[in-house]
């Protein structure tokens, strides 16, 4: 579903995101990272849990993906430093800039509590937000904020846990100014 949204709705809408960078918050072990990295110029994957960061790094390496940088940081702290700028510099060991990332899209897959207020505020500045939620109540709360600036373009119920009461919901949100400009 995420790949389909990227191919049909992000960038120029024809699947051409080769010049677009992706910011992924709460990347976990990198399942979305690995699947989506081939569609973007570069992916910056952020996760707080050191074991999941290691898992994501291994997942990326095992799949031969070279356009991903994994950063260990709490989302809130990362947002204070980076997210509002919507850009990030990957540096060489000598401190020089190796790659300047300009994020055209962000994916968030937060814990059950949903997005903290700082992350939510920062993410609303992005043209395209793909929000994956395991808690419909937290999603509803966060959507109340997003709907002030974004439209819901697509929504899907994902039954990753058959024969249980658990399901996930994924939503593609597009900022209204971006929708009017056709991006």
């Amino acid at each position: 579903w995420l790949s389909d949204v990227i191919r049909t709705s992000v960038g120029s809408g024809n699947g051409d995101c080769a010049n677009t960078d992706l910011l992924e918050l709460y990347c976990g072990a990198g399942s979305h990272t690995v699947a989506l990295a081939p569609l973007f110029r570069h992916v910056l994957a952020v996760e707080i849990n050191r074991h999941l960061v290691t898992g994501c790094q291994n997942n990326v390496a095992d799949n031969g993906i070279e356009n991903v940088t994994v950063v260990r940081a709490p989302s809130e702290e990362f947002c204070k430093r980076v997210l509002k700028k919507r850009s990030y510099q990957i540096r060489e060991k000598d401190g020089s800039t190796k790659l300047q990332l300009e994020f055209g899209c962000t994916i968030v897959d937060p814990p059950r509590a949903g997005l903290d207020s700082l992350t939510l505020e920062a993410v609303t500045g992005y043209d395209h937000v793909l929000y994956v939620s395991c808690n419909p109540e937290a999603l509803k709360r966060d959507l109340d904020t997003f709907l002030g600036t974004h439209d819901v373009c697509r929504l899907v119920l994902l039954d990753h846990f058959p024969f249980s009461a658990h399901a996930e919901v994924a939503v593609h949100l597009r900022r209204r100014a971006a929708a009017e400009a056709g991006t």
Side-chain angles (χ1 to χ4, degrees):
W1 187 85
L2 293 172
S3 294
D4 185 58
V5 169
I6 299 298
R7 286 187 183 103
T8 59
S9 302
V10 177
S12 59
N14 63 4
D16 183 15
C17 294
N19 295 319
T20 302
D21 300 313
L22 172 67
L23 173 64
E24 182 183 6
L25 299 176
Y26 314 98
C27 70
S31 299
H32 301 314
T33 313
V34 168
L36 298 177
L39 303 176
F40 290 91
R41 181 179 74 125
H42 200 87
V43 177
L44 182 65
V46 182
E47 175 58 54
I48 187 173
N49 181 301
R50 67 182 167 93
H51 299 293
L52 290 174
V53 166
T54 300
C56 186
Q57 291 167 332
N58 291 338
N59 198 357
V60 167
D62 290 349
N63 283 282
I65 297 172
E66 297 181 0
N67 66 329
V68 172
T69 300
V70 183
V71 174
R72 181 174 178 231
S75 177
E76 188 172 3
E77 290 302 313
F78 185 82
C79 288
K80 285 180 186 174
R81 295 188 326 257
V82 174
L83 235 145
K84 289 187 179 187
K85 293 187 282 186
R86 291 192 278 289
S87 65
Y88 185 82
Q89 291 181 345
I90 297 174
R91 300 204 177 265
E92 299 282 2
K93 290 181 182 180
D94 66 4
S96 63
T97 300
K98 178 180 179 180
L99 184 61
Q100 176 71 37
L101 303 180
E102 301 292 336
F103 304 116
C105 180
T106 186
I107 294 178
V108 295
D109 189 352
R112 292 194 59 77
L115 297 174
D116 62 80
S117 60
L118 183 63
T119 303
L120 180 60
E121 178 187 343
V123 170
T124 59
Y126 285 77
D127 289 347
H128 294 274
V129 179
L130 298 160
Y131 190 128
V132 180
S133 175
C134 60
N135 181 352
E137 291 174 9
L139 175 62
K140 186 212 177 296
R141 183 199 68 224
D142 292 347
L143 280 177
D144 286 344
T145 299
F146 275 113
L147 292 176
T149 55
H150 289 68
D151 292 321
V152 173
C153 298
R154 292 172 71 179
L155 181 137
V156 66
L157 177 67
L158 303 166
D159 186 10
H160 293 305
F161 314 102
F163 309 108
S164 76
H166 301 287
E168 291 194 333
V169 177
V171 182
H172 172 215
L173 299 146
R174 183 181 308 162
R175 194 163 51 139
R176 284 192 196 95
E180 293 164 9
T183 61

